[in-house]
Amino acid sequence: LPLVVHPHGGPFGPMDSWGYNTDVHVMASHGYAVLQVNFRGSGGFGREHEQAGYKQWGLTMQDDLTDATRWAIAEGIANKDRICIFGASYGGYASLMGVAKEPDLYKCAVGQVGIYDLGRVKSEDSLGDDYARRFFEETMNDGDLGPVSPNRFAEKIKVPVLLSAGHEDETAPVEHTEMMEAALKKAGVPVEALYFKTEGHGIYKLENKREFYARLLTFLQKHIGGRAPVVV
């Protein structure tokens, strides 16, 4: 099957579990296998598993997604030539890091309300209060964050990208997506961007959900097959 790897947001604390997930069910209903991974850093598996992701942005947390993708190929679940990676928030970051680190593994990437410059995250006041800044100091990598910030090495990305963001997002400010889009264009990477003036950290209005899912499914169908959306 064509496969979409769907990393969750957070990354620390949230987890994927059995139950209804709109993103997953929309994609599954259009013919895609969807792979959700509780990579290190995820909640629900004890403190050791969660803290194993600290200071591993773009490193071992990313490797967990890569290993899971290769597992799906080895198990015969996924067609190795028809794999995309799509996530929101941290999942958006992981999707762009995925295609930068593994240029031959994925055929496309979708980043929704993502953060793409970790140095900016550590410094910008718009990301929240003192608690938020202390949290990022504790959990985000030390040293030079350029090598784990996908907007800093967009030239390594060789596959088409779809980006989406909201202008009212205070968690992952829209500037992250704008910078990522500009970096991809400068590197000659095919990129589409969808901005919502009245959305924040996610898509909540029905008309905007319809527009996003139509663009998502059209993008996936173009690059890895599956069924295109029926626009009513």
Side-chain angles (χ1 to χ4, degrees), residues 120 123-129 133 169-173 175-176:
R120 184 183 176 94
S123 63
E124 62 192 359
D125 293 335
S126 57
L127 273 179
D129 55 18
R133 283 190 285 276
D169 194 340
E170 297 181 358
T171 301
E175 288 80 11
H176 277 271

Side-chain angles (χ1 to χ4, degrees), residues 154 163 176-188 191 195:
L163 299 171
H176 277 271
T177 297
E178 293 172 338
M179 289 189 302
M180 191 73 242
E181 180 188 8
L184 290 167
K185 286 182 174 177
K186 183 178 180 180
V191 57
Y195 295 97

Side-chain angles (χ1 to χ4, degrees), residues 82-200:
R82 301 171 68 191
I83 301 176
C84 190
I85 183 168
F86 154 48
S89 193
Y90 172 82
Y93 163 83
S95 296
L96 272 294
M97 277 301 301
V99 290
K101 287 191 71 173
E102 304 292 339
D104 299 322
L105 187 59
Y106 305 103
K107 300 303 179 186
C108 59
V110 181
Q112 183 184 7
V113 296
I115 54 174
Y116 305 113
D117 189 320
L118 299 193
R120 184 183 176 94
V121 171
K122 271 196 173 182
S123 63
E124 62 192 359
D125 293 335
S126 57
L127 273 179
D129 55 18
D130 289 340
Y131 171 80
R133 283 190 285 276
R134 287 196 301 271
F135 176 77
F136 282 116
E137 286 291 336
E138 181 181 7
T139 63
M140 197 170 283
N141 308 17
D142 296 322
D144 182 11
L145 294 171
V148 288
S149 297
N151 74 307
R152 302 290 186 89
F153 52 97
E155 70 280 356
K156 292 185 181 243
I157 297 174
K158 307 299 181 185
V159 298
V161 173
L162 172 63
L163 299 171
S164 176
H167 282 276
E168 296 182 358
D169 194 340
E170 297 181 358
T171 301
V174 69
E175 288 80 11
H176 277 271
T177 297
E178 293 172 338
M179 289 189 302
M180 191 73 242
E181 180 188 8
L184 290 167
K185 286 182 174 177
K186 183 178 180 180
V189 178
V191 57
E192 303 174 31
L194 185 59
Y195 295 97
F196 296 101
K197 289 185 177 181
T198 59
E199 296 286 6

